[in-house]
């Protein structure tokens, strides 16, 4: 693929309002959006071949699936795990009473999953007559296309067309890119989060509000946007006071209001779950029910999950591994090629990384949850080196079937 893609658009020096230019893809000069849609469609075709091949092989060979298989079809194959909870929400809503086991501990239930994706899928089911699995896949594929287009614009704003194009290619062909076409809320979340980030980059702070509020009801993690807004506010305020850049009062107000509203939205779901079930800790208890298989029954304390997990399985070495991983992430964010993507991208990536460390228990789902960091794939050290691009693309494609086998037949995505 790398031999067939060139750019005719402005380079990294282009301003944030560049139109995106044209991209030469396999000998044809195309508008940027056409090239991105071709890249996305090609990636979905490849992933579908991988998934369909595994589905046929598993069905013929009577392989053991890690997830239960009711009414097995290729679409239900694409609707396992989280998809089963989204289906319950789309067809029956949320439980008003939390399920508990014999010891009185809350069991896994639908309150761990946010409502926007299943509501949209239910509307799509009503409009098309499709069942949940095909409607959910269709929704995911369309949102994935939108996410790829918006990601391109995010990286283009400060990184230039080459970086934007390759960041999008890595996103579409990555090892976990199958989430762009299964009945998960990931595609919708990516679209909304990248949209909020793009609005922030373009300083359309009022537009950040609806996009991030929607993201806050699609998947956990939208709190990264208000935290990034706080960083941007401080950076722009300091620049204004030093005479480097004007930070008008109307924009200050917009940033503050956007930050307050989106932070409130990001914190709203636990309150809604509590009000609906009558259990003050309904959401937290539900989330912790997924932890028991890994670390047993624990209380939630922010910034401790990674250390709890690694201490249980590796002791001091595990704690040191977490510290090394955090230091490595900070090191990545301070690289010149990453900083060139702009304050907004760096602040967003740092904020989202902090969210993961603060509240998420690291296990196999971690790799999927790292995908919102896709804008970092536009760093020049990765996108402007033909060798690095080739290796990155080859590794992404090669690991797709590996990830599918591991997650569908041994674990879960």
């Amino acid at each position: 693929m790398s031999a067939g893609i060139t750019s005719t658009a402005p380079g990294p020096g282009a301003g944030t309002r560049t139109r995106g230019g044209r991209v030469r893809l396999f000998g044809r000069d195309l508008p940027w959006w056409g090239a991105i849609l071709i890249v996305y469609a090609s990636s979905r075709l490849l992933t579908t071949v991988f998934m369909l091949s595994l589905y046929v092989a598993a069905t013929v060979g009577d392989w053991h699936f890690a997830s239960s298989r009711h009414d097995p079809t290729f679409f239900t194959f694409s609707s396992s795990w989280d998809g089963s909870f989204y289906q319950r929400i789309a067809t029956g809503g949320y439980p008003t009473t939390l399920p508990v086991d014999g010891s009185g501990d809350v069991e896994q239930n639908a309150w761990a999953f946010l409502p926007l994706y299943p509501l949209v899928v239910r509307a799509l089911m009503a409009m098309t007559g499709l069942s949940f699995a095909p409607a959910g896949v269709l929704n995911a594929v369309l949102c994935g296309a939108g996410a790829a287009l918006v990601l391109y614009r995010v990286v283009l704003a400060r990184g230039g067309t080459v970086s934007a194009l390759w960041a999008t290619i890595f996103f579409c062909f990555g090892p976990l890119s199958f989430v762009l076409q299964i009945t998960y809320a990931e595609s919708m979340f990516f679209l909304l989060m990248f949209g909020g980030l793009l609005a922030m980059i373009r300083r359309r702070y009022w537009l950040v509000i609806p996009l991030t509020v929607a993201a806050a009801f699609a998947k956990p993690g939208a709190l990264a946007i208000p935290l990034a807004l706080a960083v941007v506010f401080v950076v722009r305020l300091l620049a204004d006071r030093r005479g480097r850049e004007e930070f008008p009062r109307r924009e200050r107000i917009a940033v503050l209001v956007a930050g307050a509203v989106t932070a409130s939205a990001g914190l709203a779901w636990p309150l809604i779950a509590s009000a609906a079930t009558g259990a003050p800790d309904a959401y937290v208890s539900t989330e912790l029910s997924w932890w028991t298989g890994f670390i047993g029954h624990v209380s939630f304390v922010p910034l401790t999950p990674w250390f709890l997990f690694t201490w249980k399985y590796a002791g001091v070495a595990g704690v040191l591994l977490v510290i090394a991983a955090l230091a490595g992430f900070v090191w990545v964010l301070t690289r010149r090629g990453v900083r060139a993507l702009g304050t907004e991208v760096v602040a967003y990536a740092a904020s989202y990384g902090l969210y993961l460390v603060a509240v998420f228990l690291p296990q196999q789902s971690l790799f999927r949850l790292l995908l919102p960091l896709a804008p970092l794939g536009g760093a020049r050290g990765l996108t402007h080196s033909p060798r690095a691009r080739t290796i990155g693309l080859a590794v992404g494609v090669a690991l797709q079937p590996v990830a599918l086998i591991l997650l569908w037949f041994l674990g879960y995505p």
Side-chain angles (χ1 to χ4, degrees):
M1 180 175 287
S2 59
I5 298 176
T6 58
S7 167
T8 59
T16 61
R17 297 188 182 277
T18 177
R19 292 185 177 276
R22 299 180 70 81
V23 174
R24 191 165 184 80
L25 184 66
F26 299 128
R28 296 190 62 182
D29 192 38
L30 301 170
W32 69 271
W33 54 267
I36 295 303
L37 289 178
I38 289 175
V39 167
Y40 180 75
S42 300
S43 72
R44 293 312 87 216
L45 177 61
L46 178 66
T47 300
T48 300
V49 169
F50 285 145
M51 292 182 66
L52 186 58
S53 298
L54 280 172
Y55 170 74
V56 171
T59 301
V60 173
D62 196 25
W63 296 2
H64 172 72
F65 284 72
S67 62
S68 59
R69 303 183 67 210
H70 301 291
D71 183 30
T73 66
F74 179 65
F75 280 112
T76 56
F77 178 73
S78 304
S79 188
S80 303
W81 304 116
D82 291 8
S84 65
F85 284 97
Y86 285 125
Q87 183 172 8
R88 295 179 203 174
I89 298 167
T91 57
Y94 291 89
T96 55
T97 303
L98 295 179
V100 294
D101 60 19
S103 302
D105 295 312
V106 174
E107 297 180 320
Q108 296 176 0
N109 65 85
W111 282 107
F113 302 91
L114 293 159
L116 183 59
Y117 172 76
L119 287 176
V120 172
V121 173
R122 184 165 69 182
L124 189 59
M125 292 166 63
M127 290 187 294
T128 62
L130 294 172
S131 61
F132 174 81
V137 169
L138 176 61
N139 179 279
V141 170
L142 293 177
C143 286
L149 291 168
V150 179
L151 174 63
Y152 177 90
R153 302 296 296 190
V154 165
V155 179
L156 176 72
R158 303 282 167 73
T161 309
V162 172
S163 290
L165 180 61
W166 279 97
T168 309
I169 290 172
F170 295 144
F171 173 71
C172 292
F173 285 91
L176 276 295
S177 63
F178 61 80
V179 300
L180 298 173
Q181 63 183 81
I182 62 177
T183 59
Y184 277 34
E186 258 68 13
S187 291
M188 179 178 288
F189 185 66
F190 301 152
L191 173 59
L192 295 168
M193 289 291 278
F194 296 160
L197 177 57
L198 181 60
M200 195 190 315
I201 291 170
R202 293 181 171 178
R203 298 179 179 175
R204 298 177 63 183
Y205 299 117
W206 295 112
L207 182 58
V208 173
I209 295 176
L211 291 167
T212 307
V213 169
F217 289 95
K219 270 188 65 67
L223 282 171
I225 295 292
L227 183 54
L229 282 169
V231 174
V232 169
F233 182 87
V234 171
V235 170
R236 293 199 62 192
L237 186 63
L238 291 175
D240 179 81
R241 291 183 176 179
R242 294 170 181 172
R244 296 177 182 173
E245 176 189 5
E246 184 181 3
F247 190 15
R249 184 172 180 272
R250 66 180 182 280
E251 290 190 0
R252 297 185 191 186
I253 294 173
V255 173
L256 292 173
V257 172
V261 173
T262 55
S264 298
L267 297 170
W269 189 243
L271 300 177
I272 294 171
S274 298
T277 62
D281 62 344
Y283 177 70
V284 173
S285 296
T286 297
E287 286 287 358
L288 290 177
S289 68
W290 265 268
W291 294 19
T292 56
F294 296 98
I295 60 174
H297 295 284
V298 298
S299 298
F300 173 70
V301 179
L303 297 174
T304 63
W306 287 44
F307 294 100
L308 288 173
F309 182 86
T310 54
W311 177 265
K312 177 176 176 64
Y313 292 99
V316 174
V319 173
L320 294 176
L321 179 62
V322 172
I323 294 173
L326 297 177
F329 184 60
V330 172
W331 179 84
V332 168
L333 295 181
T334 59
R335 296 305 87 199
R336 180 181 299 178
V338 173
R339 288 187 287 111
L341 296 173
T343 299
E344 294 84 359
V345 170
V346 175
Y348 161 81
S351 299
Y352 186 76
L354 177 61
Y355 156 76
L356 289 181
V357 174
V359 306
F360 181 71
L361 187 74
Q363 20 87 5
Q364 58 265 42
S365 296
L366 174 62
F367 302 102
R368 167 171 56 92
L369 296 181
L370 290 174
L371 288 176
L373 296 174
L376 296 182
R380 288 180 60 84
L382 181 60
T383 60
H384 283 66
S385 165
R387 179 171 181 170
R389 295 191 309 230
T390 301
I391 293 174
L393 179 59
V395 168
V397 171
L399 288 181
Q400 281 195 45
V402 175
L404 287 166
I405 292 173
L406 291 176
L407 297 175
W408 253 261
F409 302 104
L410 297 177
Y412 56 87

